[in-house]
Amino acid sequence: MLLTGRIPRHVGIIMDGNGRWAELRGLPRIEGHRRGTERVSEILEVAAELGVKALTLYAFSLENWQRPTSEVKTLMRLLELHLKKELPELMAKDIVFKTIGDIWRLPGEIQALIREIEEKTASNKGMALVAALSYSGRNEILRAVKKVLYSGVRPEELTEESFGSYLDTAGLPAPDLIIRTSGEMRISNFLLWQGAYSELYFTDTLWPDFTKEEFFLAIQDYQQRERRFGVISTRRDAP
Ligand code: IPE
Ligand code: IPE
Ligand code: MG
């Protein structure tokens, strides 16, 4: 499928529905998470090919720590395996790897792995892959407010733009498109500040079934949208 027209600079994806995918097949939930990582590799590749500049994947929320210990443990193990496996791919595709979220809560080995991958890919020139790990938008905003307070910046100097530089996403454009799989119509604490004007795309498809064709559908849908940012439509004639 060929996509011509406007390609979103930054796409965020709330990768939801792994557990239901597995349960529907009588499999353990972790099998859904495992299948989900296969989609991550596929979507990453196709997004880079399309010319997306940043892809943020919501992989584990701060709230997800409250899941049963066994699920959290297997998710962490899967994350570690996936990160190790992806590194050569990231290098081959010239992708820069970044993370957002309360990373210090992750197991030490994963934090070390993240640092290593961030360092190794830092001078790459291609798409930014941003993994939202142990992430919550409110927590990110609160941490940013604390950084502002500690910085001693004068209140009258603080602008929306400068505040953005205290967020974990500093340097990244705001997401143009946020996709959520699995039929849930909510944001679940994802990119609350940055998503103020994002186009939202919801699909019933569960994340382990979200193939590149599904991604193309989301991009095509985005290409039909008119982004107005509060001003008057340029498409319709004035009355
Ligand atoms: C998304 O799938 C992955 C994570 C939140 C880690 P879920 O595990 O939320 O799957 P469902 O929503 O229970 O189907
Ligand atoms: C959102 O999915 C977080 C991730 C996809 C990582 P959840 O399954 O945790 O969200 P809720 O609980 O349905 O809102
Ligand atoms: Mg879910």
Side-chain angles (χ1 to χ4, degrees), residues 15-21 23 29 33 59-60 64 67 71 75 182 184 206:
M15 307 183 294
D16 199 11
N18 292 351
R20 275 164 285 169
W21 184 93
E23 280 156 18
R29 289 175 58 85
H33 296 311
F60 192 80
N64 289 151
R67 292 191 179 193
E71 179 161 344
L75 272 170
S182 89
E184 307 298 349
L206 303 172

Side-chain angles (χ1 to χ4, degrees), residues 14-16 58-61 64 67 180 186 188:
I14 303 173
M15 307 183 294
D16 199 11
Y58 201 6
F60 192 80
S61 74
N64 289 151
R67 292 191 179 193
R180 183 173 188 146
R186 56 179 171 264
S188 300

Side-chain angles (χ1 to χ4, degrees), residues 18-62:
N18 292 351
R20 275 164 285 169
W21 184 93
E23 280 156 18
L24 278 167
R25 288 161 179 78
L27 298 167
R29 289 175 58 85
I30 196 66
E31 188 55 27
H33 296 311
R34 206 188 57 71
R35 286 302 199 98
T37 62
E38 291 173 13
R39 295 286 87 75
V40 169
S41 309
E42 180 175 338
I43 299 306
L44 177 65
E45 184 167 353
V46 73
E49 277 169 17
L50 279 178
V52 169
K53 298 282 177 262
L55 177 70
T56 299
L57 301 178
Y58 201 6
F60 192 80
S61 74
L62 207 50

